[in-house]
Amino acid sequence: MPITEILFWALSAAAILAALLVIFSKNPVHSVLWLIVVFFAISGHYVLLNAQFLAIVNMIVYAGAIMVLFLFVIMLMNMNAEQEPNKSKWMKLAGIISGGSLMLILVASLKNSTAIAGGQDAGIGLIQQLGRTLFSDYVVPFEISSILFLSAMVGAIILGKKEKNMNETNFSKF
Amino acid sequence: MIPIQFLVIDVWFGLEKLLLIGGIISFSLVVAMYTTFAERKIAGFMQDRRGPNRAGPFGILQPLADGLKLFFKEEIIPLTSNKSLFVLGPALAMLTAMLTSAVIPWGSQIEIAGRTVSLQVADVNIGILYVFGVVSLGVYGIMIGGWSSNNKFSLLAAVRGASQIISYELAMGLSLISLLMMTGSLSLKTIVEQQMQGGWGGFLGWNILYQPLAFLIFLICVFAECNRTPFDLPEAENELNFGYHQEYSSMKLGLYLFSEYVNMFISSAVVSTLFFGGYDIPFVNESELASSIGVNLVALLGFLTFFAKIAFFLFLFIWVRWTIPRFRYDQLMDLGWKKLIPLALANLLITAVVILTLNK
């Protein structure tokens, strides 16, 4: 078995195992940490596909930034396994239905997919190629998504801003 | 699946990389050890006292004594802590501190028995992004340690540390983009080699001469990322008792304290690589020198030059710590978000305009 294949199976096994542990961990902080392990395994897959740029950006954005925010929220809320609220039967049923339909969509889309031969095109995941493709072929979607992010940022600032009179009395010297 | 060339490795290649990794890690640890000693000696000098001078001549064995003491201390794991994460915290802090050393070019190349060995563990074409990836993971050591201690002061310090690191990461990245626009490469080795092409034996090629503002922003951010004074708010003892490692004892505390020094060493190396020509010897043409005294000797001299640059930055870290008081927390956030980021953006814009006009 060539070494890439061994690595592929090892990474896949690690990713699936860690993903299962995300779901089955009682402690939400453990779940977040297992999710980080999943992202690492996926980054490993990107490296195997010769897409180092995607691998490292996946690590910086997901493992480095988004998961830190998750960790922030969970740590500050101090959620424990004992305090987990009991969910009603209907909630569980709704969860099963929505999860099941997502699964259905995933299976349906993967069933008809064919392997892309793009893997042979060495260097599509490298930074020069990626930048050129993003700013020529995909420039409109790229700009639109950046405007989306900008509006999300503005929205977050407006939501985070306190009322003016309250601000003056309590928080100006903080 | 595609067979990738770098995965097909022969035994000698693996062996020399293994030796190189072992060498770099032990070297970093020894340098970090003696940085703690230098810190105490320089602090002593600045405060008009002697500093440690009992263990060995001039107190030269003091770091060993410190380490030994930490190893033999009783280890206490708080009952209410989350035990597995409590152990994971310092391990992660140390790991992320060491990881960056893989992409730093420590020297040119040496020749042993007809084989050319590069003094860099991995010359990946995304070197700088790798550094950022590791830096962004550095948050976890602090956060996990602070949270799992189950102590509100630790948690507060961890939250402070994490938000500080996230905030300054942005300015750090933005300041580097202007540098990358000039070099056109993310590989640290290529960046060093480009700087060596400059006049005066490479000195005129150093990026500091073209990007002084980017260097200043980057340096400030490095101080913040290392949690050094004036940005050592996660360890502000007058507000938070001791910081995120308050509940730690024995070598677990030692690892946290030590990882700060390893971080200092590695970030000094990154700063020297990016802005000060890395292993470039100023006023000397390396390829001419290599033909007269041999490649290996030039590599050694280059490494020593690199180390001298690193030592200067280590001294700067210590110098600043014993000179400048710590910021208030709102001042810290103000500086990061309202001063450094706009400044870095302006620098980016100016660099882009200059490059565009020069290329036309």
Side-chain angles (χ1 to χ4, degrees):
Chain A
M1 203 157 36
I3 192 161
T4 44
E5 207 165 313
I6 298 171
L7 279 174
F8 172 77
W9 289 112
L11 283 172
S12 308
I16 291 171
L17 190 73
L20 287 176
L21 281 166
V22 174
I23 302 170
F24 291 120
S25 300
K26 281 273 179 215
N27 191 332
V29 173
H30 287 192
S31 289
V32 170
L33 294 177
W34 282 117
L35 195 54
I36 296 167
V37 177
V38 176
F39 288 135
F40 266 91
I42 292 173
S43 278
H45 278 301
Y46 281 135
V47 173
L48 281 183
L49 290 168
N50 211 7
Q52 286 108 324
F53 178 72
L54 280 182
I56 207 79
V57 166
N58 184 43
M59 255 173 64
I60 293 174
V61 173
Y62 283 97
I66 294 179
M67 284 298 113
V68 171
L69 294 182
F70 271 53
L71 216 54
F72 256 130
V73 173
I74 288 169
M75 283 179 177
L76 286 178
M77 285 164 81
N78 211 3
M79 286 197 271
N80 286 319
E82 305 96 65
Q83 295 168 352
E84 198 179 348
N86 273 325
K87 296 183 182 72
S88 69
K89 223 176 237 170
W90 292 107
M91 285 282 272
K92 284 180 185 166
L93 195 68
I96 289 170
I97 290 172
S98 53
S101 41
L102 184 68
M103 176 89 175
L104 202 70
I105 294 169
L106 273 178
V107 169
S109 60
L110 284 178
K111 226 181 85 190
N112 294 329
S113 65
T114 48
I116 303 170
Q120 256 65 30
D121 180 14
I124 185 67
L126 298 185
I127 190 160
Q128 283 94 344
Q129 249 76 3
L130 203 71
R132 214 158 275 148
T133 320
L134 262 187
F135 283 99
S136 54
D137 298 353
Y138 297 100
V139 66
V140 176
F142 181 75
E143 292 299 333
I144 288 175
S145 58
S146 43
I147 289 172
L148 196 68
F149 278 123
L150 197 66
S151 59
M153 261 159 69
V154 172
I157 289 170
I158 287 172
L159 285 180
K161 225 174 178 178
K162 302 236 161 43
E163 298 284 324
K164 191 121 196 189
N165 50 5
M166 199 176 145
N167 197 2
E168 274 165 4
T169 50
N170 293 330
F171 295 96
S172 56
K173 291 276 181 281
F174 198 8
Chain B
M1 255 177 302
I2 331 123
I4 301 171
Q5 269 151 359
F6 66 80
L7 287 175
V8 187
I9 45 175
D10 64 311
V11 180
W12 287 111
F13 182 78
L15 196 68
E16 72 199 18
K17 286 290 179 208
L18 218 62
L19 275 175
L20 193 65
I21 293 170
I24 287 171
I25 285 181
S26 32
F27 182 72
S28 314
L29 290 178
V30 170
V31 169
M33 243 168 77
Y34 274 91
T35 314
T36 66
F37 177 65
E39 171 126 77
R40 297 173 68 179
K41 271 289 189 196
I42 293 170
F45 172 71
M46 287 185 177
Q47 295 166 352
D48 202 13
R49 55 189 173 82
R50 285 181 191 277
N53 64 348
R54 295 288 132 176
F58 309 108
I60 202 102
L61 297 176
Q62 186 65 39
L64 289 178
D66 286 344
L68 218 60
K69 187 199 90 172
L70 281 172
F71 269 115
F72 285 118
K73 282 269 181 176
E74 186 190 352
E75 182 162 323
I76 300 163
I77 297 184
L79 257 183
T80 50
S81 69
N82 187 325
K83 292 201 180 48
S84 51
L85 292 185
F86 191 78
V87 178
L88 188 69
L92 266 182
M94 201 63 196
L95 179 77
T96 48
M98 301 295 302
L99 268 178
T100 315
S101 64
V103 291
I104 296 172
W106 296 94
S108 46
Q109 62 252 356
I110 52 173
E111 276 173 7
I112 305 171
R115 290 179 60 88
T116 310
V117 182
S118 165
L119 288 179
Q120 184 184 19
V121 176
D123 184 18
V124 281
N125 54 12
I126 42 152
I128 291 178
L129 283 174
Y130 175 87
V131 173
F132 277 108
V134 175
V135 165
S136 63
L137 294 179
V139 182
Y140 288 113
I142 294 178
M143 281 206 86
I144 288 171
W147 181 78
S148 63
S149 309
N150 208 357
N151 172 330
K152 60 185 158 207
F153 288 115
S154 301
L155 181 65
L156 275 176
V159 169
R160 273 188 178 190
S163 38
Q164 170 181 332
I165 289 179
I166 293 173
S167 310
Y168 277 77
E169 223 169 79
L170 291 175
M172 198 175 179
L174 284 174
S175 72
L176 268 194
I177 290 177
S178 50
L179 182 79
L180 296 180
M181 287 199 299
M182 284 180 52
T183 56
S185 168
L186 286 169
S187 154
L188 290 172
K189 183 113 183 162
T190 318
I191 290 175
V192 171
E193 275 162 3
Q194 278 181 357
Q195 295 180 65
M196 288 171 88
Q197 304 301 322
W200 289 6
F203 180 70
L204 287 184
W206 287 9
N207 285 327
I208 173 76
L209 299 176
Y210 306 100
Q211 290 289 346
L213 190 59
F215 164 69
L216 200 66
I217 296 168
F218 189 75
L219 191 71
I220 294 172
C221 294
V222 160
F223 271 77
E225 298 285 329
C226 290
N227 288 331
R228 289 288 294 186
T229 323
F231 304 103
D232 62 342
L233 286 136
E235 297 166 31
E237 63 276 359
N238 46 1
E239 302 158 23
L240 294 169
N241 293 349
F242 189 40
Y244 53 89
H245 38 40
Q246 185 170 17
E247 297 288 348
Y248 283 87
S249 53
S250 182
M251 201 52 204
K252 289 202 183 63
L253 173 69
L255 280 179
Y256 265 126
L257 299 180
F258 203 55
S259 70
E260 179 184 323
Y261 287 91
V262 177
N263 264 328
M264 272 163 63
F265 172 62
I266 300 288
S267 16
S268 303
V270 171
V271 173
S272 321
T273 306
L274 290 175
F275 291 98
F276 287 85
Y279 51 83
D280 172 49
I281 313 169
F283 313 115
V284 173
N285 191 336
E286 276 84 357
S287 50
E288 273 173 29
L289 193 67
S291 55
S292 62
I293 63 169
V295 181
N296 291 351
L297 214 55
V298 170
L300 181 69
L301 284 176
F303 174 72
L304 288 179
T305 321
F306 189 37
F307 186 67
K309 290 168 188 171
I310 295 172
F312 169 73
F313 282 107
L314 285 176
F315 174 69
L316 190 71
F317 270 109
I318 297 167
W319 190 9
V320 168
R321 173 165 180 187
W322 298 104
T323 312
I324 300 176
R326 134 185 340 132
F327 279 122
R328 230 171 41 220
Y329 197 69
D330 60 326
Q331 290 172 328
L332 169 101
M333 285 297 161
D334 245 30
L335 179 71
W337 288 95
K338 294 187 189 157
K339 308 230 163 57
L340 290 186
I341 290 181
L343 213 59
L345 281 173
N347 189 34
L348 185 67
L349 209 66
I350 294 167
T351 315
V353 168
V354 169
I355 288 177
L356 265 183
T357 45
L358 283 186
N359 279 359
K360 264 181 188 166

